[in-house]
Amino acid sequence: MARISNWRVAAAGELLMTEGAQGSFFCILADGEVRVSRKGKLLNILHTGECFGEMAYLSKDDHLRGADVTVMAESKSISVPTQKLAQASDACRHKFDRAFMEILVERLTMANARLSGV
């Protein structure tokens, strides 16, 4: 992964991803916090070790961003271009896909709990 990824440092308030924009990469938050919002409404606060932007990677058709991602405090992120991941070994892609499925299940469970008031 080190060969196909890039590190980025971002200041508080910086917009890392924009809702509706083309998604050609996903990120892993190496340090800091980011705010994920859609149409101005807070969806989640992500912390060190969490990923974002994976929905555009996993999307079958348009690969458009579904939310804004804004830096809350200075952060460091690892950006992985999806084209480069597509060229990685099957084993590497499988590990990412499995991790993304686990993340999606966790986030869906959290959303269901919020919607049901549990």
Side-chain angles (χ1 to χ4, degrees):
M1 280 313 304
R3 287 181 272 138
I4 68 171
S5 62
N6 303 302
W7 283 78
R8 177 179 179 180
V9 176
E14 193 172 334
L15 193 62
L16 297 178
M17 294 180 180
T18 304
E19 183 178 347
Q22 189 69 32
S24 61
F25 64 94
F26 63 89
C27 295
I28 301 164
L29 193 58
D31 187 40
E33 289 183 331
V34 297
R35 179 182 197 271
V36 182
S37 59
R38 183 176 180 132
K39 297 185 188 330
K41 293 186 179 185
L42 177 66
L43 296 177
N44 207 352
I45 304 287
L46 302 179
H47 306 277
T48 300
E50 295 188 272
C51 72
F52 54 95
E54 75 284 349
M55 294 296 287
Y57 162 70
L58 294 171
S59 173
K60 183 178 178 184
D61 297 319
D62 55 14
H63 304 287
L64 296 179
R65 299 277 182 221
D68 290 334
V69 178
T70 308
V71 176
M72 295 180 63
E74 182 177 272
S75 71
K76 295 176 186 156
S77 60
I78 303 164
S79 176
V80 180
T82 54
Q83 269 191 314
K84 288 187 179 181
L85 181 59
Q87 297 169 355
S89 70
D90 287 343
C92 180
R93 285 194 319 274
H94 175 72
K95 286 180 183 181
F96 270 98
D97 291 348
R98 180 69 189 169
F100 289 149
M101 283 191 290
E102 290 172 8
I103 290 165
L104 293 175
V105 167
E106 179 181 311
R107 290 180 183 168
L108 181 59
T109 301
M110 183 175 56
N112 285 340
R114 285 181 184 161
L115 289 172
S116 67
V118 174

